Amino acid sequence: MDAHFTIALILTLLAGMSTVVGGFMTFFVKRNNLKALSVGLGFSAGVMVYISLTEIMNSAKIMLDSSFGDNVSRGITFISFFLGILIAILIDYFIPDHIESDLLEEQKPGQSCCRHNHRIKRAGVITAIAIAVHNFPEGLATFLVSSQDLSLGVPVAIAIAIHNIPEGIAVALPIYHASGKKRQAIWYSFMSGISEPIGGLLGILLLKTFMPQWCVGAMFAAVAGIMVYISFDTLLPMAREYGENHHVITGIVAGMFVIGLSLLLI
């Protein structure tokens, strides 16, 4: 395997396995003490939106320019970007990544403890499956960006990793609450994150088939669309859940500033 593919796959693996970090946090950190995570999620959203709309979209157009004229490459970039958003919407529509609130409510009078725990554990399992499906395109996006430009791939991987921590919490919390078994909770959080490096392996398969440059460019634009959708649909609502609006805005602005400055210096 080429060295840049290996590095990209390692970054994708590390980003995916941050769900396990979230799983461990379940045992030590109370949910109402996670306001710092709100800033972190806002930071991730700022990084991903900035990179997507400035660097990745520009790289996609440059790749397409080598095969098409300016107007055609602009059109393909535009269509591919919104096709990526559509793919993310369809995944979200058919497999929502949230738990229905009634699955996590307090035990009702007359309801057996065993049945209550079963409902909560079921919520954790459903969440683990849903997050695994959602993480697959994230892994593909992380790998593709990292394999083409490591200076973009590293901040994307960090942003995805921060994003995956609360997802690990969402999976491990109900499993641990229902079973009392830490190992089982960590295992489910691991399984929800492993789909990201699987997405990276798909990226290797696609690139190893010697896809023409214009196909890689179109995929790049689609990846930008997926990342923007993830930022607005998942990261920002989750950031507001853990903190106040000004925490979120602080994170977004900081993320855009830091990644913009780092790319300028590079």
Side-chain angles (χ1 to χ4, degrees):
M1 188 186 299
D2 296 341
H4 63 290
F5 281 1
T6 302
I7 295 172
L9 190 60
I10 291 172
L11 285 174
T12 306
L13 175 64
L14 293 176
M17 289 301 94
S18 64
T19 55
V20 177
V21 176
F24 276 109
M25 287 179 66
T26 300
F27 312 135
F28 305 108
V29 182
K30 293 183 179 180
R31 185 178 177 84
N32 58 8
N33 288 336
L34 292 175
K35 290 184 179 180
L37 197 53
S38 174
V39 178
L41 289 168
F43 186 93
S44 296
V47 168
M48 290 174 65
V49 170
Y50 188 96
I51 285 181
S52 296
L53 297 182
T54 59
E55 299 295 324
I56 296 179
M57 289 289 283
N58 185 56
S59 296
K61 178 155 186 320
I62 291 173
M63 292 180 194
L64 289 164
D65 281 340
S66 62
S67 301
F68 304 102
D70 182 67
N71 288 335
V72 175
S73 62
R74 286 178 184 273
I76 295 176
T77 301
F78 172 82
I79 293 171
S80 299
F81 175 80
F82 283 99
L83 182 61
I85 291 178
L86 178 61
I87 291 171
I89 289 173
L90 290 174
I91 292 173
D92 206 35
Y93 178 78
F94 288 106
I95 309 178
D97 61 350
H98 62 277
I99 310 169
E100 294 186 15
S101 58
D102 67 317
L103 290 174
L104 289 178
E105 62 188 10
E106 294 296 325
Q107 183 175 348
K108 297 177 181 178
Q111 184 181 34
S112 69
C113 180
C114 181
R115 183 183 175 190
H116 178 68
N117 286 344
H118 174 74
R119 286 166 62 84
I120 294 177
K121 184 174 181 179
R122 176 176 174 271
V125 172
I126 292 172
T127 303
I129 295 171
I131 288 176
V133 174
H134 283 75
N135 282 352
F136 185 83
E138 292 177 14
L140 178 60
T142 304
F143 176 83
L144 287 176
V145 174
S146 300
S147 64
Q148 299 300 309
D149 189 340
L150 197 58
S151 66
L152 297 180
V154 170
V156 167
I158 293 173
I160 292 291
I162 295 173
H163 157 223
N164 283 344
I165 289 174
E167 289 189 345
I169 294 173
V171 171
L173 184 64
I175 297 294
Y176 179 59
H177 181 79
S179 67
K181 298 177 180 179
K182 294 182 178 180
R183 183 176 297 179
Q184 189 176 95
I186 293 299
W187 173 250
Y188 275 100
S189 64
F190 169 82
M191 292 303 295
S192 68
I194 197 64
S195 62
E196 290 209 10
I198 294 175
L201 292 174
L202 175 62
I204 293 176
L205 179 63
L206 292 174
L207 294 178
K208 281 290 188 179
T209 57
F210 301 103
M211 295 173 61
Q213 188 79 346
W214 73 267
C215 282
V216 178
M219 288 180 61
F220 238 53
V223 162
I226 291 172
M227 288 171 57
V228 168
Y229 180 84
I230 290 170
S231 298
F232 287 116
D233 181 71
T234 304
L235 292 181
L236 295 182
M238 195 178 293
R240 289 191 65 185
E241 181 181 344
Y242 285 108
E244 305 295 335
N245 284 341
H246 63 273
H247 295 143
V248 181
I249 295 298
T250 299
I252 293 171
V253 174
M256 289 183 170
F257 178 81
V258 169
I259 190 59
L261 182 62
S262 65
L263 291 172
L264 185 65
L265 294 176
I266 291 173

